[in-house]
Amino acid sequence: MTDQLTRTPSVLRVVLASPLYRGATIALFLSGLGFSAAAPQIAQFLVKDLGASLTTAGLYYLTNLTAPVAGYLIGRRSDRTGRRLGLFRICAVAGFLGWLAIAFSGALWLPFVISAVVLGFAGAATSQLFAAIHDELAAAPTSAADGVVSVVRMALTLGWVVGPVAGAFLAAQAGLRAMLVATAVCTLAQILPLGTLRERVDTAADTGENGVTRSAHVPLRAMAALLAFTGLFILVYAGEPIKYAYLPIYMNDQLHFPAALSGAIIGIQPLVELALMPLAVVVARRMGMLPLMVLGALFGVGANLLFATTGTALGLFAGQILMGGVWGVFAGLGIIVAQRLLPTAIATASAIYLSAPALSSALGGLAGGLGAGALGLPLVFVIPAGLALAAAVGLLALNRRVGERVRG
């Protein structure tokens, strides 16, 4: 541990010294800031500004189901050409135009179509940056490689910490349409930190991790481990939409917590996550990435059982701290594992893995809605506990099959 801590400044120096790593860090912060500002407010926009019913507004999140298809198409194109940053810029511009069009929509159907058709491609921008970072690390290897990815990923998480607060404040002061315009600006501003930087196409397009030759076409069998890992991640992530939908209602309507206390309980998770992400990289070097993810999934089991059974502020704080542990592990290591499971098609691997939250939102929304009706609050949280337990068992089995492939 002491040895790793002495290396931490070198990781920061590597990030700051590289125009790509430094620019990607700022770009992902802007991406997280913009998207997380809009995500909690979009339903209100549909209801208040466009006259949607609550049920119709909830259906908006199903438009996320096109994101995996768009991400796969962009990733495949990226692996064929090696032009990561060019595609990143195209996706960022698409996101800018999409959010701007939603902000000025006058008909209810427009945000649904724009989100499904345009914003699905915009979401692929993040996967292109991680693919470009991987290529650069392969071309200029460093012992701090995992740390570099973790630092860049932390910037995205930090954006998600700041964004909801900033979005709520801007919506209250200037209106929901102004907030959506700000999201569009943040999405476009991702391009600025990278300037006119270009990737190393000569090395990136031809070889993958450990010199493995890349191929534009990846057979389904070669993606089996990646798809299994992504599916297990979806099970873990499905608890997030359930938690954000029902934990505030539970705290406000049944436990009657004051707003400040409820906000503190919700807000502690991302702070714990940020603190634990660098530590996860250190621990993974000792015990392996997938075994650590098994532990992370079990944290999710414990967290949701605390939500379901304690009924006290202390119990909910403990649950959120455990959830911070879940995402400190998965956010810090997930993209690294995904890329190592498909080293011949890094952009495709990144796109497939990063599509998991969109699919999880649909799964969590469906499971949470049915569970809340059948079990009520707080027992609905037993459902994500069961999903996380299934994920832990699956990750344990996956580690036995491919653990050596992802060991750092």
Side-chain angles (χ1 to χ4, degrees):
M1 177 71 74
T2 302
D3 180 56
Q4 177 62 30
L5 289 175
T6 62
R7 295 181 192 172
T8 301
S10 69
V11 173
L12 297 178
R13 282 199 299 268
V14 170
V15 171
L16 293 174
S18 166
L20 174 61
Y21 305 153
R22 184 175 64 246
T25 300
I26 300 171
L28 286 177
F29 170 75
L30 291 170
S31 173
L33 176 66
F35 187 78
S36 66
Q41 304 294 332
I42 189 68
Q44 287 194 62
F45 170 70
L46 296 174
V47 172
K48 292 183 177 180
D49 288 60
L50 298 181
S53 67
L54 291 175
T55 300
T56 302
L59 293 176
Y60 173 84
Y61 295 97
L62 293 180
T63 62
N64 290 332
L65 293 176
T66 63
V69 177
Y72 173 77
L73 294 174
I74 293 292
R76 186 175 178 182
R77 174 69 178 175
S78 176
D79 286 324
R80 182 184 298 119
T81 65
R83 301 285 182 180
R84 320 296 199 191
L85 296 182
L87 288 168
F88 158 73
R89 293 182 179 101
I90 291 173
C91 291
V93 171
F96 166 71
L97 295 174
W99 283 114
L100 199 63
I102 290 176
F104 290 101
S105 294
L108 180 59
W109 61 270
L110 279 172
F112 286 81
V113 173
I114 294 166
S115 179
V117 177
V118 179
L119 294 186
F121 287 94
T126 298
S127 65
Q128 293 307 299
L129 281 184
F130 279 114
I133 290 168
H134 178 278
D135 290 343
E136 184 70 17
L137 289 169
T142 169
S143 61
D146 291 350
V148 168
V149 175
S150 180
V151 167
V152 176
R153 181 61 179 80
M154 285 173 68
L156 183 63
T157 299
L158 183 60
W160 274 85
V161 172
V162 178
V165 177
F169 177 80
L170 183 58
Q173 298 298 315
L176 290 163
R177 291 185 186 271
M179 181 274 301
L180 292 172
V181 171
T183 292
V185 172
C186 285
T187 304
L188 184 63
Q190 294 179 81
I191 296 174
L192 298 179
L194 292 157
T196 58
L197 189 67
R198 302 186 65 171
E199 60 279 280
R200 300 180 186 230
V201 179
D202 55 339
T203 58
D206 298 329
T207 59
E209 190 172 291
N210 300 324
V212 177
T213 301
R214 285 203 173 114
S215 171
H217 173 69
V218 183
L220 186 61
R221 183 175 180 180
M223 294 193 292
L226 171 65
L227 293 173
F229 174 65
T230 303
L232 294 170
F233 177 53
I234 288 171
L235 294 181
V236 175
Y237 201 104
E240 287 295 277
I242 296 174
K243 182 188 71 179
Y244 283 115
Y246 297 110
L247 189 60
I249 295 173
Y250 175 51
M251 290 190 292
N252 296 334
D253 293 353
Q254 295 191 23
L255 299 181
H256 305 293
F257 287 171
L261 179 58
S262 298
I265 290 172
I266 293 294
I268 195 172
Q269 176 187 317
L271 298 178
V272 174
E273 176 184 339
L274 279 172
L276 292 183
M277 283 175 69
L279 182 62
V281 174
V282 178
V283 176
R285 286 202 176 102
R286 295 178 178 269
M287 66 180 295
M289 293 188 183
L290 287 176
L292 183 56
M293 288 182 167
V294 172
L295 184 59
L298 292 175
F299 284 167
V301 176
N304 283 290
L305 289 179
L306 285 170
F307 297 153
T309 61
T310 57
T312 65
L314 183 61
L316 299 187
F317 266 118
Q320 280 289 77
I321 290 171
L322 284 176
M323 289 303 297
V326 175
W327 301 118
V329 172
F330 281 89
L333 303 176
I335 190 69
I336 301 172
V337 172
Q339 290 179 344
R340 289 182 181 177
L341 288 174
L342 194 64
T344 59
I346 293 301
T348 301
S350 302
I352 289 174
Y353 173 74
L354 291 173
S355 70
L359 296 174
S360 295
S361 294
L363 173 62
L366 178 62
L370 295 175
L375 301 175
L377 297 179
L379 290 180
V380 67
F381 295 109
V382 172
I383 294 175
L387 294 175
L389 181 60
V393 174
L395 287 165
L396 189 62
L398 187 64
N399 180 60
R400 292 175 180 171
R401 294 180 65 87
V402 300
E404 290 302 315
R405 287 166 56 184
V406 300
R407 185 174 291 275

